[in-house]
Amino acid sequence: MIIRDESEMLALGEKIGEEVQAKVGSGDSVVIEMIGDVGAGKTTLTRGIARGLGVKEAVTSPSFTLSKRYGFPDGSLIHYDFYRLDEPGILAETLEETINEPKTVSIVEWGESVNEILPEKHMVIKISYNEDETRTVEILK
């Protein structure tokens, strides 16, 4: 699908968050891998997902902190960013624990270095730039 601006990206994220909320509410954990270049809109989409889940805090990029945890009424959202890491080290262990926690949504950016940890059945969202400054978002399940 083509996304024209930030408000459309947030709205898409909110819709995804609402869909994920049903799974988390029943006790499941959900893993979402985000693929896209720097500035493609991964964190904006994550902000929308957080809104759809009911997160009240401001969601920001974890590029420098590597991960951030947010609470919502039925669980937790943990946002990981492996961009700055050549070797994920202990953060990979933390991710492995997190993806098995009930009622947890784990969003992973730049997950190539931890791909073997991600569950086989996880959502993959790919965001690509277009020449006209829109984005193409593909949701692969």
Side-chain angles (χ1 to χ4, degrees), residues 74-94:
D74 287 329
S76 295
L77 166 67
I78 298 104
H79 186 190
Y80 293 92
D81 188 331
F82 290 90
Y83 179 67
R84 300 169 64 74
L85 299 178
D86 293 327
E87 171 58 43
I90 196 163
L91 193 59
E93 294 172 23
T94 303

Side-chain angles (χ1 to χ4, degrees), residues 92-112:
E93 294 172 23
T94 303
L95 172 64
E96 192 166 20
E97 291 173 13
T98 299
I99 61 177
N100 294 310
E101 287 180 20
K103 297 188 174 199
T104 300
V105 177
S106 300
I107 296 180
V108 179
E109 294 186 25
W110 304 98
E112 296 85 6

Side-chain angles (χ1 to χ4, degrees), residues 5-39:
D5 57 30
E6 183 177 2
S7 65
E8 286 186 8
M9 189 69 83
L10 288 168
L12 173 61
E14 193 165 349
K15 181 179 175 191
I16 293 168
E18 290 167 356
E19 291 173 6
V20 166
Q21 174 72 2
K23 294 178 183 179
V24 173
S26 66
D28 292 342
S29 63
V30 175
V31 177
I32 302 171
E33 180 182 8
M34 299 251 191
I35 299 172
D37 290 333
V38 172

